[in-house]
Amino acid sequence: MKHDYYISLTANTSVLQMLTDRIVIVNDLFDKIETFDKWSYTYAEGKWTIKQLIQHLIDCERIFSFRVLHIIRHDKTPLFGFDENVYAEFGTAEIGETEDLKNEYLALMRSIYFMYKRLSREELAIRAQIIDYEISIEEIGLMMAGHCLHHLRVIEEIYL
């Protein structure tokens, strides 16, 4: 499944280490994007801009972190899927200041890190059904970090 690929990008690093390391990596990439002034650049028609990619990361991580909260609080309501393309279509990445978008993502990543920092080993091991697969709280955190790293690689290799 797709989440297995993202988890594989975390190279057997602890979830807390991945969630903190990526903040520095993202901040460094933001500096590169600034240098090349490519925030609204897209490499082909119909492809997302870098701003839209960052908005995509924000949207996904909000949903993933909600799932963690949902599971940790023992909510038995079934978890839902989402269509990332619909989110992008109605996203607000191109509205407002780029600095606000950057700060929003950095703040969200820090918030997710602190949420995970407070979880016990037992809580990290909790598994839950999401749509058609089962995943642990720890794997969701690694998936978030790997998803982020995947898109950072795309930005580095295709956009810059």
Side-chain angles (χ1 to χ4, degrees):
M1 297 198 89
K2 204 172 196 179
H3 66 272
D4 291 328
Y5 166 70
Y6 296 136
I7 292 169
S8 76
L9 298 178
T10 63
N12 299 319
T13 305
S14 78
V15 67
L16 279 181
Q17 193 64 53
M18 284 307 305
L19 291 174
T20 192
D21 286 354
R22 73 191 184 127
I23 296 170
V24 174
I25 295 167
V26 166
N27 210 26
D28 289 347
L29 184 61
F30 283 171
D31 290 342
K32 271 188 183 175
I33 298 165
E34 278 302 316
T35 299
F36 294 109
D37 192 25
K38 292 236 180 165
W39 285 103
S40 294
Y41 170 76
T42 183
Y43 65 91
E45 188 172 328
K47 296 296 182 181
W48 293 345
T49 65
I50 291 176
K51 280 178 150 181
Q52 288 172 310
L53 275 173
I54 301 304
Q55 184 67 62
H56 166 73
L57 289 169
I58 291 169
D59 291 347
C60 289
E61 291 189 25
R62 281 201 168 118
I63 291 167
F64 299 150
S65 61
F66 165 77
R67 289 175 175 173
V68 170
L69 180 64
H70 177 94
I71 296 163
I72 289 299
R73 299 296 188 255
H74 299 273
D75 187 336
K76 300 302 179 200
T77 310
L79 288 164
F80 54 87
F82 67 101
D83 184 337
E84 65 189 35
N85 293 309
V86 171
Y87 277 67
E89 180 182 348
F90 293 98
T92 58
E94 300 299 328
I95 299 170
E97 299 294 323
T98 301
E99 197 66 27
D100 291 341
L101 186 69
K102 291 166 37 179
N103 287 330
E104 180 181 358
Y105 189 39
L106 292 168
L108 177 60
M109 286 189 294
R110 287 183 187 102
S111 173
I112 290 168
Y113 166 77
F114 284 110
M115 177 176 66
Y116 267 83
K117 188 175 181 188
R118 294 176 53 210
L119 298 176
S120 68
R121 283 301 314 154
E122 294 77 25
E123 288 172 317
L124 287 172
I126 294 171
R127 299 187 70 74
Q129 186 76 24
I130 300 177
I131 312 149
D132 61 349
Y133 62 93
E134 189 177 285
I135 193 167
S136 73
I137 298 298
E138 183 173 31
E139 290 168 330
I140 293 172
L142 292 171
M143 179 186 64
M144 276 191 275
H147 179 249
C148 171
L149 294 175
H150 163 75
H151 282 293
L152 298 182
R153 185 179 297 157
V154 168
I155 291 170
E156 286 268 4
E157 293 176 1
I158 298 175
Y159 286 81
L160 297 181

